[in-house]
């Protein structure tokens, strides 16, 4: 299987939050809830244009969270390239959160880091991540790894520099 990344096209996003809800539904249930793993963020460009950017983990090629984690809790799935967390190794120090440009690491009440896992099990079975499948406007997509270009572009989007 080739390494995949999630990508987004904010010009298509209608800010309906369907991706956010689908992700919550996929990962939690009535007995077990937790922080959202995907957010839809309203961004205002320097020219005053309002857009929506749907952000989860970008599964960065450089993944600064992996380098920052002192316990090795964050690792890359070899088959898919998706960045994963081994909750039992997390000591809740939040170093991953401080270095993540996208605010992806979230924390449970037990102070364990959780984040978008790229819907690893679905992808392993040849399915799309549920947020990508659910988006009604095609704003989310998966494609093969493309180095650092994509994460740089999303950094600029979130800074309102390129909407
Ligand atoms: S948690 Fe942040 S830094 Fe780590 S891979 Fe995801 S987006 Fe990149
Ligand atoms: S909070 Fe957990 S996953 Fe994040 S850097 Fe610390 S030990 Fe690693
Ligand atoms: S890829 Fe899966 S875990 Fe990540 S934001 Fe989308 S639905 Fe949530």
């Amino acid at each position: 299987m080739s390494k995949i990344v999630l990508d987004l096209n904010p010009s298509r996003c209608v800010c309906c939050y369907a991706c956010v809800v689908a992700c919550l539904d996929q990962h939690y249930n009535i007995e077990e809830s937790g922080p959202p793993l995907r957010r839809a963020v309203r961004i205002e460009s320097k020219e005053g244009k309002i857009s929506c950017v749907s952000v989860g983990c970008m599964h960065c090629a450089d993944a600064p969270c992996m380098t920052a984690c002192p316990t090795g809790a964050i690792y890359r799935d070899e088959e898919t390239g998706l960045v994963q967390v081994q909750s039992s190794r997390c000591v809740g120090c939040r170093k991953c959160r401080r270095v993540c440009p996208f605010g992806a690491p979230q924390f449970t009440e037990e102070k364990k880091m959780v984040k978008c896992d790229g819907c690893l099990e679905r992808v392993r079975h040849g399915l799309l991540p549920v947020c990508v499948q659910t988006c009604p406007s095609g704003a989310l997509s998966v494609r093969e790894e493309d180095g650092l270009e994509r994460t740089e572009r999303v950094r600029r989007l979130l800074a309102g520099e390129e909407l």
Side-chain angles (χ1 to χ4, degrees):
M1 180 183 291
S2 53
K3 304 279 187 277
I4 69 148
V5 294
L6 276 79
D7 204 358
L8 54 107
N9 181 349
S11 68
R12 290 192 165 195
C13 180
V14 295
C15 220
C16 65
Y17 294 86
C19 55
V20 177
V21 174
C23 179
L24 285 168
D25 191 47
Q26 172 81 12
H27 288 86
Y28 298 120
N29 52 48
I30 289 175
E31 287 83 36
E32 186 195 3
S33 65
L37 309 181
R38 176 164 288 278
R39 297 166 295 135
V41 186
R42 285 181 186 271
I43 305 284
E44 183 172 357
S45 75
K46 286 171 182 159
E47 294 75 37
K49 181 183 168 195
I50 305 288
S51 296
C52 209
V53 179
S54 171
V55 202
C57 174
M58 297 297 295
H59 301 276
C60 307
D62 57 345
C65 58
M66 284 175 63
T67 310
C69 178
T71 68
I74 306 173
Y75 64 98
R76 194 178 298 279
D77 177 69
E78 283 188 12
E79 185 188 7
T80 60
L82 295 168
V83 177
Q84 305 296 307
V85 189
Q86 189 177 348
S87 171
S88 60
R89 297 182 78 166
C90 174
V91 294
C93 67
R94 294 183 176 251
K95 288 183 178 172
C96 52
R97 168 75 189 209
R98 285 198 282 277
V99 298
C100 175
F102 307 109
Q106 304 292 315
F107 290 86
T108 65
E109 288 180 1
E110 293 77 30
K111 299 187 170 49
K112 296 287 187 184
M113 191 272 263
V114 288
K115 69 168 192 66
C116 154
D117 64 359
C119 286
L120 179 66
E121 288 308 317
R122 287 178 60 91
V123 170
R124 278 183 174 155
H125 288 90
L127 300 171
L128 287 171
V130 75
C131 55
V132 176
Q133 181 175 292
T134 305
C135 176
S137 60
L140 299 174
S141 59
V142 292
R143 59 190 173 96
E144 292 190 7
E145 177 59 86
D146 60 348
L148 300 176
E149 171 274 329
R150 174 191 53 112
T151 46
E152 278 304 317
R153 181 166 50 81
V154 177
R155 280 182 187 125
R156 290 198 299 274
L157 285 170
L158 288 172
E161 292 173 6
E162 203 177 281
L163 292 172

